[in-house]
């Protein structure tokens, strides 16, 4: 059974790139360009891992991650925040994210972070 990743980013190029990378790694990819109803999105897709942009429209990555981590049914899903913010480690900690990835990132960084949380 393929692992599922939910990718949330409003940049269509990043969504395209990440989708391509993860599909080639054997993941089923669900993507969204907003984090409206983040709980509903995650409940509907049941991902094994979530990659979320800090600057995604609506409430943003930090608040969306806080909502997920406050939900007892969803808090165990690893969430990785990615952003070009200089204070990304602090944002990830504030959000309760499991990890973070700086933009721009390279393919190796992206893959190794995914493998860290999903056993393939």
């Amino acid at each position: 059974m393929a692992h599922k990743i939910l990718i949330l980013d409003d940049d269509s190029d990043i969504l395209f790139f990440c989708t391509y990378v993860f599909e080639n790694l054997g993941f089923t990819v669900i993507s969204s360009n907003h984090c409206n109803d983040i709980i509903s999105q995650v409940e509907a897709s049941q991902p094994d891992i979530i990659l979320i942009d800090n600057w995604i429209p609506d409430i943003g990555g930090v608040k969306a991650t806080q909502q997920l981590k406050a939900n007892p049914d969803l808090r165990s899903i690893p969430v990785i925040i990615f952003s070009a913010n200089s204070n990304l480690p602090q944002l990830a900690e504030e959000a309760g994210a499991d990890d973070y990835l700086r933009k721009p990132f390279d393919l190796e960084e992206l893959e190794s972070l995914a493998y860290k949380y999903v056993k393939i």
Side-chain angles (χ1 to χ4, degrees):
M1 185 175 99
H3 290 287
K4 279 194 265 182
I5 184 165
L6 174 61
I7 305 169
L8 301 135
D9 197 314
D10 61 323
D11 183 325
S12 59
D13 291 336
I14 297 234
L15 283 179
F16 179 83
F17 175 76
C18 290
T19 298
Y20 178 81
V21 168
F22 283 105
E23 284 178 347
N24 280 324
L25 294 175
F27 280 78
T28 298
V29 177
I30 302 106
S31 64
S32 177
N33 62 0
H34 63 83
C35 62
N36 297 328
D37 305 320
I38 186 68
I39 300 297
S40 304
Q41 284 193 60
V42 172
E43 287 174 343
S45 59
Q46 291 295 304
D48 297 296
I49 187 170
I50 300 167
L51 191 59
I52 187 168
D53 176 40
N54 183 51
W55 293 106
I56 190 154
D58 192 29
I59 59 172
V62 170
K63 290 215 180 320
T65 301
Q66 289 170 339
Q67 287 183 15
L68 290 171
K69 293 303 183 179
N71 184 308
D73 297 328
L74 306 176
R75 70 169 50 125
S76 64
I77 301 170
V79 176
I80 299 166
I81 288 190
F82 64 134
S83 176
N85 282 58
S86 59
N87 62 337
L88 188 55
Q90 293 88 351
L91 288 174
E93 186 176 333
E94 178 189 334
D98 297 273
D99 221 322
Y100 61 89
L101 180 63
R102 290 189 189 282
K103 288 181 181 177
F105 49 82
D106 66 32
L107 183 59
E108 198 172 287
E109 284 178 301
L110 186 62
E111 289 179 355
S112 67
L113 208 48
Y115 287 138
K116 180 176 175 180
Y117 293 99
V118 177
K119 304 297 176 238
I120 297 178

